[in-house]
Amino acid sequence: MPKNIATGTSDFCKIRERNNFLVDKTLFIKDWFNKADEVTLITRPRRFGKTLNMSMLECFLSSEYKNRSDLFEGLKISEDPEIMKLQGTFPVISLSFSSVKNDKVFEMKNNIASIIKLLYMRNNEIVHNSSKISEDYKKEYDRIKNGFIKDKPEEFDENLVAKSVLYLSEVLSIEYGKKVIILLDEYDTPLQEAWIQGFWNEILSFMRLFFTATFKDNKFMDRAVMTGITRVSKESLFSGMNNLLICSLSTEHYQNYFGFTEPEVFDAMDEYGYKNKDEIKFWYDGFNVGSLTDIYNPMSVTFFLNSGIIDSYWANSSSNDLVSKLIREGTKDIKSDFEILLNGGSVTKKLDEQLVFNKLSTSQNAIWSLLVMSGYLKSNLIRDKLYEIQIVNHETMLLLRNLIEGWFDETVVGYYSDFIKSFLNCDTDSMNEYMNRIVFSSISTFDSAYNEDDFLAPEKFYHGLVLGMLVELRERYAVKSNRESGFGRYDIMLVPHDKKDRAFIIEFKVVNKNKKETLETALTNALTQIEEKKYEQELLDLGATDDNIIKYGFAFEGKKVLIGQG
């Protein structure tokens, strides 16, 4: 009889004690320990088995689990008597930053301090009952333990918190007579959240202090493992850490220990009596790790095995705010590329796995790199740092479509639907009414502001906005952007799948104040450009007729919009 499946838990001890379903990844412990790297950073997409493997490491190594070799009976690692001698023999410091998602920098620092304070409280009895730890050490331990949480930002002691794990390492190494192992799960969550909330630089300086003290200057540490989604630039966070081995999606180190391989998925499906392997492959396969292909999202597979229902489990498991922000605020080129991806195509991009968060606003390569690292896209190396990029699978396809359709808040969703209807019906009066309501309700003045240094910036912004709205029509139209036709490059073209339907061409113009333009003259210029450049030629070559091609001009001035038909 198949074992019960514990969905939503990443506690290795609980899973084993309850005899729940488990894909055996225990040889990760042996491979990692035998490599003897001082600090190992493993980056994988979210919900990819990182937390469970960290829990497994803790259960195997920590002295808190001394004499608990029963947790590993019947698993692959139990077949190696030499490695099993290590079970329960190390002092282990295990912490997670998964909950550090504050919207203010002081609250975030206090949150990190409270996580470390719990470690001090958990070890309080061990330290104070120890005959090996001197009274001076115990007093210092109490001073640190009682000095973490502060009510005011100016009272917060960054150095005390940053060096607290270092001091805890020292007292535990005195007590146990051997150096400690440090496990830090989701190390990059504070950094991602800080970038979203706008205080990246402030939290970065604090995190650099913490990482330097904990992992670089810690002579009481035997070795450490960190996990996260992104590989933050070594220069910005891990400066001077020459003891760091980085195992990203592109490296072969530990490539088969995070995520499910296809044989593991199909064996589990056989065990639970499921036959629809092609359907599961379509939904959840597609990740590439190191030299391996056909890596499956473990969370979604596990939830399917438990319920027998195919659904978007991974997509709905946590916030997609960072990815939504990147795409929503991206250039028209990024939105155009997503139109290709959402239609099942691929794009070629340069990727750099050393992510610098403060470049996300200016570097398209950084954005594509983060989307790949986060598991929304997959990449195949072409040469050097040039990759072919695609959407991973059907589950991530649905997620990205929903993100784009969800850009508009509830106050403008109705306007959005009405705009699409009036667009298809060539009702420019209604189009103007609804578009102006959308812009007024949901677009900041900053987004649409005239910029002397980049005159086309507002035009690019509105191009991206309208392109994102028109993705709704992808089942009826191929939505194309910034392609050559006639004697130039049109802004947006909608090519109907059914040749009986209307085709559409859109040209954007921002009012040029230097030329004393008005909305009306900018609109005229947009429509004139469509005619003079003969943008309709691509549609005519595809069999469309002149009377079935609709030409729209969009003129913008700040938060004012004027739409007309040629």
Side-chain angles (χ1 to χ4, degrees):
M1 182 177 178
K3 297 177 180 179
N4 290 329
I5 297 176
T7 56
T9 182
S10 297
D11 188 320
F12 181 84
C13 182
K14 283 185 179 178
I15 290 173
R16 293 296 291 161
E17 288 178 339
R18 297 171 180 175
N19 195 30
N20 293 144
F21 167 79
L22 179 73
V23 173
D24 189 349
K25 302 286 187 178
T26 53
L27 289 182
F28 167 61
I29 303 168
K30 178 181 177 180
D31 285 358
W32 168 73
F33 198 89
N34 287 342
K35 278 187 172 62
D37 297 301
E38 195 165 60
V39 182
T40 304
L41 169 60
I42 300 172
T43 63
R44 294 292 187 273
R46 60 183 170 86
R47 311 294 184 183
F48 229 70
K50 301 187 296 293
T51 301
L52 178 58
N53 278 352
M54 293 289 263
S55 176
M56 178 180 71
L57 276 177
E58 183 180 9
C59 290
F60 187 83
L61 296 166
S62 175
S63 57
E64 291 185 27
Y65 293 90
K66 187 178 181 180
N67 300 321
R68 289 304 312 271
S69 60
D70 60 296
L71 295 173
F72 298 89
E73 285 180 5
L75 299 177
K76 293 175 184 177
I77 198 168
S78 66
E79 299 171 7
D80 187 330
E82 286 303 310
I83 199 74
M84 286 302 297
K85 291 178 182 178
L86 297 175
Q87 198 279 316
T89 61
F90 279 88
V92 174
I93 296 173
S94 178
L95 64 164
S96 171
F97 286 164
S98 62
S99 63
V100 184
K101 298 179 179 180
N102 308 86
D103 58 7
K104 293 182 177 59
V105 65
F106 172 59
E107 292 175 359
M108 181 172 285
K109 290 178 181 178
N110 253 349
N111 193 346
I112 292 171
S114 67
I115 291 169
I116 301 173
K117 182 174 182 177
L118 285 175
L119 289 175
Y120 270 67
M121 293 172 65
R122 193 178 304 149
N123 288 282
N124 191 64
E125 187 174 342
I126 293 172
V127 171
H128 283 283
N129 289 342
S130 173
S131 58
K132 300 176 183 178
I133 300 172
S134 70
E135 290 302 314
D136 287 342
Y137 270 102
K138 292 176 183 179
K139 288 179 181 178
E140 179 65 8
Y141 185 91
D142 287 338
R143 185 188 74 84
I144 296 173
K145 181 183 68 176
N146 297 324
F148 281 122
I149 312 302
K150 300 296 181 182
D151 295 326
K152 298 177 181 179
E154 61 270 19
E155 296 175 350
F156 189 85
D157 190 338
E158 283 195 354
N159 285 315
L160 180 140
V161 177
K163 295 179 179 179
S164 57
V165 173
L166 170 62
Y167 189 78
L168 181 60
S169 301
E170 182 174 5
V171 294
L172 290 179
S173 67
I174 292 171
E175 170 62 18
Y176 290 96
K178 61 194 311 182
K179 295 181 179 181
V180 303
I181 288 174
I182 301 175
L183 306 176
L184 173 56
D185 193 25
E186 298 201 38
Y187 87 100
D188 57 338
T189 297
L191 298 164
Q192 288 194 40
E193 196 66 25
W195 185 81
I196 293 172
Q197 301 297 341
F199 50 82
W200 157 260
N201 288 325
E202 294 172 84
I203 204 65
L204 178 63
S205 61
F206 168 67
M207 296 297 288
R208 189 186 292 118
L209 281 175
F210 174 80
F211 281 105
T212 298
T214 303
F215 299 109
K216 179 187 174 185
D217 299 335
N218 191 347
K219 63 182 181 181
F220 307 101
M221 180 188 75
D222 183 274
R223 63 190 75 187
V225 180
M226 290 186 284
T227 65
I229 294 173
T230 56
R231 172 184 169 180
V232 179
S233 163
K234 191 172 182 179
E235 287 72 25
S236 63
L237 184 62
F238 303 115
S239 181
M241 281 183 61
N242 297 320
N243 60 345
L244 179 66
L245 174 70
I246 299 175
C247 305
S248 61
L249 283 173
S250 66
T251 58
E252 296 185 10
H253 292 295
Y254 316 121
Q255 62 183 359
N256 56 325
Y257 294 127
F258 297 82
F260 291 167
T261 64
E262 189 159 275
E264 289 170 340
V265 173
F266 287 176
D267 286 348
M269 292 181 71
D270 290 340
E271 181 181 351
Y272 287 85
Y274 295 114
K275 306 295 184 184
N276 51 338
K277 292 177 181 176
D278 288 344
E279 195 174 6
I280 296 304
K281 184 177 180 69
F282 173 69
W283 271 78
Y284 306 130
D285 183 21
F287 295 92
N288 300 328
V289 182
S291 62
L292 299 180
T293 59
D294 295 317
I295 299 295
Y296 287 65
N297 166 5
M299 176 186 181
S300 294
V301 170
T302 303
F303 272 73
F304 162 73
L305 292 173
N306 185 55
S307 66
I309 299 171
I310 297 175
D311 203 349
S312 297
Y313 298 108
W314 181 83
N316 300 320
S317 62
S318 67
S319 170
N320 298 296
D321 288 349
L322 176 57
V323 173
S324 179
K325 176 181 174 70
L326 290 173
I327 302 173
R328 185 178 65 250
E329 297 180 0
T331 65
K332 71 174 183 179
D333 291 335
I334 288 176
K335 292 182 172 70
S336 178
D337 286 333
F338 260 92
E339 166 244 318
I340 296 171
L341 295 172
L342 289 168
N343 281 303
S346 63
V347 295
T348 302
K349 300 293 174 185
K350 285 188 175 180
L351 300 181
D352 187 351
E353 291 185 332
Q354 290 201 61
L355 188 66
V356 181
F357 271 87
N358 57 3
K359 288 187 178 180
L360 285 174
S361 300
T362 57
S363 170
Q364 290 193 28
N365 290 344
I367 293 173
W368 291 114
S369 299
L370 186 140
L371 291 170
V372 170
M373 284 187 281
S374 301
Y376 296 90
L377 303 173
K378 66 177 178 179
S379 62
N380 291 293
L381 180 64
I382 299 173
R383 62 182 182 276
D384 298 327
K385 291 185 177 182
L386 196 65
Y387 290 81
E388 180 190 31
I389 295 174
Q390 297 172 289
I391 292 176
V392 176
N393 52 37
H394 187 62
E395 183 178 28
T396 50
M397 174 75 78
L398 293 179
L399 181 150
L400 291 168
R401 285 178 176 175
N402 290 334
L403 277 184
I404 291 172
E405 291 167 0
W407 285 348
F408 307 98
D409 62 38
E410 294 180 1
T411 62
V412 298
V413 167
Y415 302 149
Y416 162 66
S417 299
D418 290 335
F419 171 81
I420 295 296
K421 291 176 185 176
S422 58
F423 176 92
L424 294 173
N425 292 328
C426 305
D427 182 354
T428 53
D429 289 339
S430 296
M431 288 173 67
N432 276 288
E433 177 185 353
Y434 297 129
M435 177 56 76
N436 277 281
R437 288 185 180 182
I438 289 169
V439 170
F440 182 80
S441 300
S442 61
I443 309 302
S444 75
T445 302
F446 178 80
D447 291 327
S448 56
Y450 179 80
N451 186 337
E452 289 186 357
D453 295 328
D454 186 2
F455 167 70
L456 292 178
E459 183 178 315
K460 294 174 184 177
F461 173 80
Y462 280 111
H463 184 136
L465 170 69
V466 175
L467 183 63
M469 294 170 66
L470 294 176
V471 170
E472 171 73 17
L473 299 173
R474 63 186 172 273
E475 292 184 4
R476 292 179 58 185
Y477 290 89
V479 184
K480 298 186 176 183
S481 173
N482 200 28
R483 309 283 180 84
E484 290 186 3
S485 180
F487 301 114
R489 299 175 72 90
Y490 56 77
D491 283 332
I492 296 177
M493 180 181 288
L494 272 66
V495 182
H497 298 315
D498 186 340
K499 292 183 180 180
K500 296 178 183 178
D501 286 343
R502 292 165 170 161
F504 297 89
I505 300 172
I506 302 173
E507 185 66 25
F508 300 97
K509 289 293 179 186
V510 63
V511 171
N512 190 332
K513 293 182 179 180
N514 292 331
K515 294 182 179 181
K516 298 182 179 180
E517 280 186 338
T518 64
L519 277 170
E520 289 75 15
T521 55
L523 173 58
T524 299
N525 290 338
L527 294 171
T528 299
Q529 182 170 321
I530 293 174
E531 297 299 333
E532 290 180 349
K533 298 292 186 180
K534 297 189 181 300
Y535 289 152
E536 72 274 11
Q537 190 59 52
E538 179 179 343
L539 293 168
L540 294 173
D541 291 343
L542 292 170
T545 58
D546 279 319
D547 60 353
N548 219 23
I549 298 175
I550 307 302
K551 302 167 185 177
Y552 285 133
F554 282 60
F556 301 98
E557 183 180 17
K559 296 180 72 169
K560 296 178 182 179
V561 185
L562 181 63
I563 304 170
Q565 181 179 336

